[in-house]
Each structure stands twice: as structure tokens, then as C-alpha cells.
Amino acid sequence: MMTRRAFALGALAQLRTKPNILLIVTDDQGWWDLGIHGNSVIETPALDKLGAASVRFNRFYVSPVCAPTRASLMTGRHYLRTGVYNTRFGGDTMHAGEITIAEVLKKAGYKTALFGKWHLGRYAKYHPLRRGFGEALTFSQGHLERYTHPDQLNWNRTPVEARGHISDVIADSARSYLLANRGRPYFCYVAFNAPHTPLYAPDAYAERYLKKGLSYSDAHMYGMVSHMDAAIGRLLEAVDDNTIVLFMSDNGGVSKHFTVGLRGFKASAFEGGVRSPLFVRGQNFRPRTVNAVTAHIDIFPTLCELAGAEIPRDRKIDGVSFAKHLRGESPADPNRRVFHIWDRFAPSLRSNALGIGGQRYKWVRGQLFDLENDPAEKVDISAKEPTIAAGLRKELEEWFADVTKGQVFEPVPIEVGRDDENPVEVQASWAAISEGATYTFLGYDWDSVEKLGVAKWKLDVVRPGLYDVRVSYALAAEAGDAAIAIRIGGAEVTARIAPSAGPNVFAVATMGRARLPKGPCVMEARATKPEVAINRIWLQRT
Ligand SMILES: [Ca+2]
């Protein structure tokens, strides 16, 4: 009979042999933005080297945009099941009840960390530290205002100053983590935000491509990729042999200089919008290419299998493990389907990006393509193959009904009065707006509501009491003075406001105090003039 000590040592040995996992995700890097994928202009030596040593997936699919892919990556589930339905306006919030890959790996004995973009919830309740990550140097929004400004990140929920280009900050922090945790089983998720807009590559990197005649935007995008490639090279030096390294992007490409003949870009259901590189390097995986269709939802079950972690059984996990493709030749599943859907406000079967694909045929908004013979999606064969087209469409409709069942596609209530988030900053663009109000995309890290009219937010007061209300607003001088009224549940505060220093320059008005009872309520903001824009409201428990 095994003694308790022998058992404990056995468990320890097993823990030690578990592979480390490094998951690298880039942002808006297209399938074609890699030397190893045939782009002879872009310089990606570290990624090319990694790719050559990896199992490379030629048909790996992600969602057309950021947050949906991240939700699927974290949960193994179609994003519409997870609460995510948008990349902003609050639709980038993953339900608190979702189980992340970090949580299951943590349970299996892994140390977990995130470095970089989270984009699955901006409030404390949804922070990576509450989603299974032991450590996190992160930011919540889809894109940063600037690439080199020091005040954009939080380290374990504390704002920190981090100088340098953000790609270097992310890679070098992750590198320190990898070096400090060698020999442990760790799961390190490194989520770069390059080459997403705003376009900013360090000068030497951008110049390299401007000299080659690329457009300003492509030169900066390529420069950002090459600069990030160097950072990834430093990161890869810090892992040992017992580490599985995965590299992928979060949606299709944006750069236009070279597209390897693929159709469509980010936000589209065509191949250019949804096909991502995927390299998986591991001690026991022989480098080769895999043509079987796989998707972001497969990463979760694959990592569970490789790490010996338990897959949650209380919910539908949509992905299937592709570990068999890592271990050797394995046939593609002819019944595999990947689903593509994306719409800015609410998903529907009329969405602009809508498609379903299998190993050979792909249906995109009424058109049918034979990807084996027409990877560029040039020839619509729906009239020639009506049965295949109708069958795929039917599968897509059934899938849509299933993944949207019981889901509400509007912002979750914002919790007010939490000890760990006081004051709470109510993001203006989470509002439901009416009476002519509009959202503006001008601000990179904060969207505003302009021509205020009426804006309404759903709140959930977790601690009753007296709250100070302040508002950040902009008002052009020509408009003269105005007034703002904010009603929260039964309480109302008002303030007269003077013009701010310009229509896009925000000033802060102190609105007064409101007594808020516990529980859900609606907050409503109105202004006396349409020139008033607001970009955030603070509610602070006194
Ligand atoms: Ca993206």
C-alpha cells in the first residue's frame, strides 16, 4: 500500500512534470503579417524561428474582432454565450460566472499570470485577478490612447507607472515572471496590443518600412510587428524545454500592403478577417503543418488535456482539444464547423460579418465558397451547390439560436459602493441613449456621449448610503452656461456648468450628494443644452 508520504512525493513529481504554458496573443496582426507565411517585406525573425520549430495550423479561426476572441480563448465557449457582444460600450464584459482557463489551470496546480490586454470587463468584479489570474499587469480597454505614456497599466489593480513602448513593458515584465518561475508549472498569458491602432512604432522600425515605400499606416503596423517580434524573441529566451508555447492573433489583419491573396480584413467573416496564425511549440511535438480546421474555442480544452486539468462539466464547452494534431498525423473532422459573427451593437442573422465554414465549404452571407479550390473566396458557387449552401445556412441558424438563448445583449449593471472600487467611474458610453444623444469615438481610452439628451445607466448599489456625485463634461464656449441633472433612483442632483476649455477638453463638476438605497436602479443624466458632452460620472461613497 502506498504511504501518504510516497503519495505526496508522487503528486509533487507529477506536478513538476506538468508543462509550463506560455500563451502569446497579438492584436490585429493578420495571417499575412509574418515572414513564414510568405510576406517577404515584413521582418519577423523570432516568430519565423518559433513557427519553424512548431506545429503550425493553416486553418485556425478566431472571431472577426478582439473581445469575442478573448472570451472564447478564456472559456472555450462561443462568445455570445459569455456575455460579450461588443468591443466597447460595456459589451466587452464577460459574465462573472464564466470559468476561465486560468481558473482551471490554477486548480490543477498552476501559477497564473496575465501581462497585457484583458478586454473582458473594466470594473473590479471582472478584473483578471477575480478570473483565476494570480498576477496581472494589465489594462481593460480595447485599445490604448498612446503607446509610450506611463500611466496606462495597473499591477494587481494598483495603477502603476510604466515607461517605454508598451510592447517592451509587457514583454519585459512577462520575461521577469518567466525567469522567476522557471521549473514551476505556470500559465503565462501575454497579450500584446500591437499592432492595433493608434499606430505607433519606434522611429527606427517605422522608417525601415517607409523607406521600402509602404504607406504610413502599413509602415507603422509592420514596424510595430517587427518591434514586437524582437520583444517576443527576448520572451522566448526565458522559457525552458518543458514549456508549451502558443502564438496567435486575436482577429484578422488590417495591414493592406500584402494579403497573400486572402479576401477581407478584420471585422469581416471572409478568411482575411478570421484566419489567424497558430504556432504551438512543445518538447514532444514534431514541427509540421496542420490543415485541419481548428478554432480559438479549442485552446481551452487543449490546454486542459496537456496540463491534466479538469474540464468544467456544468456547462457547454464548445471547443474540442486539438492535442491529437500536436502529437502526430491525425485526420481532419469532416463535420467540424466554425462560426463567424460580428455586429457593432447586437448580434443577428443580418450581421455584416456572418459565416459558417467547414473543412472544404464556407458560407458567407448567402455566398458559398470551396476553400479547397478557391481559398481566396472569389467564386460564389451557391447556385451550383444549393443543397450545401442551404445546409450550412441551416446549421448557422440553429447555432445562433443555441448560443443566444437566454442572453441579453446590453451592458451589465455597474456595481456602486464596492470597498475595492470607491469611487466607481461610470463610463459614459455604457449608457442607453435617446433624444438625439450620440456616442463619440474620438477619445481612445474614454468614449463620450455628446448632444447629451437623455442617457441612462443600469446601476447596482451594493452598499446603501450617501454618495458624492461628480461629472466630467465638455462644453464649448459659444454655448454659454448650461446645467446638468443626474437622477439616481429617487434622488436627484443638479449643477450649473460653465464652458470647459474646449469641446473636447473635459472639466469636472461637483454635483452634490445623493442618498442611494441598496439594490438595482437606473441613473439618468440630462443637460439643458445639446452642446454638453459627458465622458464619465463618479459615484463615491462618503
Ligand atoms: Ca484585435
Side-chain angles (χ1 to χ4, degrees):
M1 202 174 113
M2 194 188 271
T3 63
R4 185 181 289 183
R5 185 175 154 73
F7 176 79
L9 286 173
L12 198 66
Q14 197 193 16
L15 207 60
R16 259 204 301 265
T17 58
K18 277 180 187 282
N20 293 322
I21 299 166
L22 171 61
L23 170 61
I24 303 169
V25 179
T26 60
D27 195 350
D28 291 7
Q29 180 177 11
W31 162 267
W32 49 69
D33 294 324
L34 278 167
I36 200 169
H37 283 174
N39 188 327
S40 60
V41 173
I42 202 162
E43 291 168 35
T44 52
L47 286 170
D48 294 349
K49 191 175 156 201
L50 174 69
S54 296
V55 179
R56 296 205 309 278
F57 290 77
N58 285 336
R59 299 280 304 280
F60 175 69
Y61 292 94
V62 292
S63 300
V65 291
C66 297
T69 287
R70 287 156 207 273
S72 289
L73 193 57
M74 286 296 107
T75 63
R77 285 151 59 78
H78 292 300
Y79 79 91
L80 293 173
R81 294 190 203 279
T82 70
V84 169
Y85 60 93
N86 201 339
T87 55
R88 54 208 306 167
F89 305 145
D92 50 351
T93 310
M94 187 167 75
H95 291 320
E98 289 295 322
I99 298 174
T100 69
I101 185 65
E103 284 176 74
V104 297
L105 291 176
K106 194 176 185 178
K107 230 187 233 177
Y110 275 71
K111 255 195 106 174
T112 55
L114 161 64
F115 296 89
K117 173 167 161 175
W118 173 237
H119 205 189
L120 291 173
R122 61 158 285 113
Y123 289 102
K125 186 178 180 179
Y126 306 96
H127 192 275
L129 290 190
R130 296 185 188 279
R131 313 312 297 264
F133 288 96
E135 296 166 53
L137 179 71
T138 187
F139 57 95
S140 62
Q141 63 270 37
H143 47 200
L144 296 176
E145 190 169 7
R146 306 136 296 199
Y147 266 86
T148 55
H149 213 272
D151 63 352
Q152 313 188 66
L153 298 169
N154 72 79
W155 168 244
N156 297 340
R157 300 212 56 240
T158 304
V160 288
E161 189 175 307
R163 293 192 181 273
H165 192 285
I166 190 91
S167 294
D168 290 327
V169 171
I170 290 171
D172 294 336
S173 314
R175 181 185 153 93
S176 302
Y177 177 87
L178 299 177
L179 290 172
N181 289 288
R182 281 186 143 195
R184 281 179 193 267
Y186 61 70
F187 168 60
C188 181
Y189 174 27
V190 181
F192 288 97
N193 60 309
H196 195 299
T197 52
L199 302 175
Y200 177 69
D203 291 347
Y205 285 92
E207 272 161 25
R208 195 188 290 181
Y209 297 108
L210 286 167
K211 272 189 199 141
K212 291 185 183 184
L214 270 66
S215 69
Y216 177 87
S217 62
D218 280 351
H220 270 270
M221 243 176 259
Y222 276 35
M224 287 161 89
V225 170
S226 290
H227 170 246
M228 181 168 61
D229 181 85
I232 290 172
R234 296 197 299 278
L235 200 56
L236 293 175
E237 286 166 10
V239 301
D240 63 17
D241 285 348
N242 187 32
T243 305
I244 295 168
V245 179
L246 301 96
F247 162 76
M248 59 182 276
S249 182
D250 70 333
N251 48 247
V254 176
S255 66
K256 307 237 168 9
H257 181 72
F258 172 81
T259 60
V260 77
L262 292 184
R263 180 171 178 180
F265 296 92
K266 174 183 179 180
S268 132
F270 291 109
E271 293 290 282
V274 291
R275 211 203 283 182
S276 157
L278 173 65
F279 304 160
V280 186
R281 189 184 77 183
Q283 206 174 1
N284 303 316
F285 311 149
R286 192 172 57 80
R288 49 191 277 271
T289 54
V290 171
N291 292 316
V293 164
T294 52
H296 49 14
I297 48 178
D298 301 342
I299 301 275
F300 183 111
T302 303
L303 293 183
C304 286
E305 185 178 338
L306 296 174
E310 211 170 314
I311 294 185
R313 295 188 192 286
D314 65 338
R315 63 199 61 210
K316 171 94 176 135
I317 301 295
D318 295 299
V320 285
S321 170
F322 55 68
K324 60 179 191 283
H325 293 301
L326 298 173
R327 294 190 179 116
E329 296 295 329
S330 190
D333 173 2
N335 297 317
R336 183 69 201 263
R337 298 287 180 263
V338 282
F339 302 90
H340 315 293
I341 187 164
W342 159 244
D343 209 294
R344 172 59 72 190
F345 291 102
S348 83
L349 288 168
R350 292 178 305 279
S351 290
N352 276 330
L354 184 71
I356 169 174
Q359 194 63 38
R360 178 166 180 186
Y361 294 104
K362 180 174 171 189
W363 181 97
V364 183
R365 298 190 80 213
Q367 296 182 293
L368 185 71
F369 303 99
D370 176 351
L371 291 180
E372 257 170 36
N373 296 302
D374 177 26
E377 298 168 287
K378 280 186 175 151
V379 187
D380 172 17
I381 56 163
S382 59
K384 213 168 81 187
E385 298 284 4
T387 317
I388 294 171
L392 285 174
R393 197 196 146 88
K394 186 162 173 280
E395 279 186 66
L396 178 68
E397 284 169 359
E398 286 165 0
W399 171 83
F400 184 77
D402 176 36
V403 298
T404 55
K405 199 166 146 195
Q407 298 291 338
V408 179
F409 300 111
E410 53 185 63
V412 294
I414 297 168
E415 289 188 337
V416 177
R418 290 174 69 105
D419 288 333
D420 60 357
E421 197 168 39
N422 189 37
V424 67
E425 250 176 8
V426 175
Q427 155 73 281
S429 70
W430 279 47
I433 54 177
S434 56
E435 293 182 21
T438 55
Y439 296 114
T440 173
F441 284 79
L442 285 177
Y444 258 112
D445 53 357
W446 282 93
D447 301 314
S448 308
V449 176
E450 291 190 342
K451 299 186 193 118
L452 186 55
V454 183
K456 291 180 184 181
W457 295 261
K458 286 186 294 179
L459 305 182
D460 184 10
V461 180
V462 297
R463 195 73 101 65
L466 266 181
Y467 283 80
D468 280 329
V469 183
R470 285 175 302 142
V471 60
S472 155
Y473 71 93
L475 178 61
E478 307 87 85
D481 286 2
I484 297 177
I486 295 179
R487 180 191 290 274
I488 312 171
E492 185 169 85
V493 288
T494 57
R496 292 220 44 91
I497 51 168
S500 60
N504 289 311
V505 182
F506 294 98
V508 174
T510 300
M511 303 286 299
R513 279 188 176 173
R515 183 171 293 282
L516 305 183
K518 191 173 160 65
C521 66
V522 171
M523 175 168 76
E524 196 178 296
R526 286 173 183 275
T528 52
K529 289 184 178 169
E531 290 85 350
V532 176
I534 57 172
N535 93 322
R536 61 187 98 173
I537 297 171
W538 292 274
L539 302 172
Q540 182 158 18
R541 205 176 72 224
T542 58

